[in-house]
């Protein structure tokens, strides 16, 4: 219903001229990486490998956490949802990117472009909320250990996960509807690897400063709001850990939180470069590299970061692989 709303709203909103967004442009050209054919094939092979490893790694974590009943606790429920989300996050953009590497036209329909825009941003927003919830969970576990079982119940954990998904898919509905109603009269070449608001604003035939400001304001709120919550949670965790008398307890706490902090640093670092300031004009090359970093590189490293530093997950993965060998 939300997707249909995005594509079917017919009233022009917040544009300086009364044009329809469907008047001229029926499709866009996602330019991607303009280079020689040999390099295109090389990039196609590299990105296909990265995509396969990302889906396999995150899928393995989901299966391991699903099959191992001892890991059906809030921390691993959040991690399982995070890995499941990452699979769909990379799948919202990478398959089309791979097709364009082998295509001469590199086209994407008007509807397809805004659907990709919607799902890419919605899943990314859900990831921001989920990372903040995971930090809050670690704060409760370490700073309020006696109250943790009563607060972070299975029911409350499920509520938090649902809120993350629902808020993520509702957060950018209004600006995407507004942008889809802007007049696109040509040219239709998007010098990017995905349908992104920056290039779409540049292609519009009429300026829409309010819509542009709304888009960047919502981006800043979701990025900085969740980042500050994560920062605050881990500041309190750090203070609590430093007060622990046992060196073993401190090491275990740092080990548990270190993986999450690594993921947060990778994801938020590249996001802040791209979507925080509307006045910052990045070159097309920087935009493409930054987008690839948080859209492909971070999801690829997440399974490695979480599994290599977590004995329980490694044991669960070995158990799943052992079952597969027995079946074969």
């Amino acid at each position: 219903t939300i997707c249909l709303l995005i594509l079917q709203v017919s009233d022009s909103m917040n544009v300086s001229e009364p044009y329809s967004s469907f008047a001229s442009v029926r499709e866009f050209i996602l330019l991607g990486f303009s280079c020689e054919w040999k390099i295109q094939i090389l990039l196609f092979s590299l990105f296909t490998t990265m995509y396969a490893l990302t889906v396999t790694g995150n899928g393995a974590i989901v299966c391991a956490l699903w099959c191992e009943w001892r890991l059906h606790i809030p921390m691993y429920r959040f991690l399982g949802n995070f890995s499941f989300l990452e699979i769909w996050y990379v799948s919202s953009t990478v398959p089309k990117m791979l097709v364009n590497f082998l295509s001469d036209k590199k086209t994407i329909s008007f509807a397809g472009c805004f659907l990709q825009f919607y799902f890419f941003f919605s899943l990314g927003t859900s990831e921001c909320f989920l990372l903040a919830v995971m930090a809050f969970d670690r704060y409760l576990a370490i700073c309020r250990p006696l109250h943790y079982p009563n607060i972070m119940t299975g029911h409350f954990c499920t509520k938090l996960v649902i809120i993350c998904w629902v808020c993520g898919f509702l957060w950018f509905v209004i600006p995407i509807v507004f942008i889809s109603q802007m007049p696109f009269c040509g040219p239709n070449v998007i010098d990017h690897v995905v349908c992104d608001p920056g290039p779409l604003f540049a292609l519009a035939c009429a300026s829409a400063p309010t819509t542009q400001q709304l888009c960047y304001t919502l981006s800043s709120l979701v990025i900085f709001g969740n980042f500050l919550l994560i920062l605050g949670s881990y500041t309190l965790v750090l203070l609590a850990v430093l007060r622990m008398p046992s060196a073993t307890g401190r090491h275990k706490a740092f080990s548990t939180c270190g993986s999450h902090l690594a993921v947060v640093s990778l994801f938020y670092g590249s996001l802040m470069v791209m979507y925080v300031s509307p006045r910052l004009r990045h070159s097309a090359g920087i935009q493409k590299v930054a987008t690839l970093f948080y859209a492909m590189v971070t999801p690829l490293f997440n399974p490695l970061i979480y599994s290599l530093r977590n004995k329980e997950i490694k044991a669960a993965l070995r158990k799943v692989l052992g079952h597969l060998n027995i079946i074969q």
Side-chain angles (χ1 to χ4, degrees):
T1 303
I2 293 173
C3 297
L4 291 174
L5 174 65
I6 293 172
L7 300 175
Q8 291 179 354
V9 174
S10 58
D11 295 331
S12 293
M13 298 179 181
N14 190 36
V15 293
S16 58
E17 299 178 37
Y19 296 124
S20 167
S21 59
F22 293 95
S24 299
V25 173
R26 299 287 181 178
E27 62 182 17
F28 294 102
I29 298 174
L30 275 175
L31 200 57
F33 295 95
S34 300
C35 46
E36 295 180 3
W37 177 248
K38 292 182 179 179
I39 299 178
Q40 296 264 23
I41 295 298
L42 179 63
L43 290 175
F44 172 81
S45 303
L46 175 63
F47 290 169
T48 300
T49 303
M50 291 175 64
Y51 178 62
L53 290 174
T54 301
V55 173
T56 303
N58 284 286
I61 288 181
V62 172
C63 291
L65 297 178
W66 180 270
C67 296
E68 183 55 74
W69 63 269
R70 289 178 298 179
L71 299 183
H72 291 181
I73 59 177
M75 182 177 77
Y76 292 113
R77 283 188 182 183
F78 293 136
L79 178 57
N81 272 274
F82 184 74
S83 296
F84 180 72
L85 188 152
E86 290 284 59
I87 294 172
W88 292 106
Y89 184 56
V90 295
S91 298
S92 66
T93 56
V94 175
K96 182 59 180 176
M97 195 187 306
L98 296 176
V99 170
N100 283 350
F101 276 124
L102 304 179
S103 172
D104 294 329
K105 295 182 177 180
K106 303 182 186 298
T107 58
I108 183 171
S109 66
F110 188 95
C113 181
F114 279 92
L115 283 175
Q116 185 191 75
F117 181 5
Y118 172 71
F119 282 108
F120 184 54
F121 270 64
S122 297
L123 290 164
T125 304
S126 296
E127 185 167 337
C128 289
F129 287 128
L130 195 52
L131 285 171
V133 167
M134 292 168 74
F136 176 66
D137 174 71
R138 291 301 83 208
Y139 158 75
L140 287 178
I142 295 173
C143 300
R144 298 288 186 270
L146 298 179
H147 301 284
Y148 180 76
N150 296 325
I151 297 175
M152 195 59 71
T153 61
H155 184 63
F156 184 58
C157 175
T158 302
K159 277 186 176 180
L160 289 176
V161 169
I162 292 173
I163 288 171
C164 290
W165 282 89
V166 172
C167 289
F169 275 79
L170 292 178
W171 192 263
F172 280 101
V173 168
I174 293 176
I176 291 175
V177 170
F178 285 2
I179 296 171
S180 70
Q181 300 308 304
M182 294 173 64
F184 294 97
C185 314
N188 65 339
V189 178
I190 299 176
D191 191 8
H192 209 314
V193 293
V194 298
C195 288
D196 193 77
L200 287 172
F201 281 126
L203 291 179
C205 301
S207 62
T210 306
T211 299
Q212 192 169 2
Q213 189 61 50
L214 174 64
C215 193
Y216 284 110
T217 299
L218 290 175
S219 298
S220 299
L221 283 174
V222 74
I223 293 171
F224 275 116
N226 287 292
F227 182 74
L228 290 175
L229 179 58
I230 293 170
L231 192 63
S233 297
Y234 277 111
T235 300
L236 295 174
V237 166
L238 178 62
L239 294 174
V241 169
L242 293 176
R243 290 196 294 266
M244 289 181 178
S246 168
T248 305
R250 287 196 298 270
H251 176 74
K252 184 177 180 180
F254 278 126
S255 178
T256 302
C257 300
S259 302
H260 188 236
L261 282 173
V263 171
V264 167
S265 301
L266 287 172
F267 184 70
Y268 276 94
S270 52
L271 272 183
M272 288 180 179
V273 170
M274 285 293 296
Y275 296 114
V276 171
S277 175
R279 296 179 179 84
L280 226 55
R281 293 291 180 264
H282 304 292
S283 68
I286 293 177
Q287 289 182 10
K288 293 174 186 178
V289 171
T291 301
L292 284 176
F293 196 82
Y294 65 77
M296 286 193 70
V297 177
T298 304
L300 173 65
F301 283 126
N302 286 348
L304 296 175
I305 291 171
Y306 280 114
S307 61
L308 290 177
R309 296 180 60 90
N310 193 298
K311 294 180 180 178
E312 289 84 0
I313 293 180
K314 285 192 286 187
L317 287 172
R318 282 194 294 267
K319 187 175 180 180
V320 170
L321 292 175
H323 285 313
L324 289 176
N325 289 331
I326 291 172
I327 292 171
Q328 288 177 353

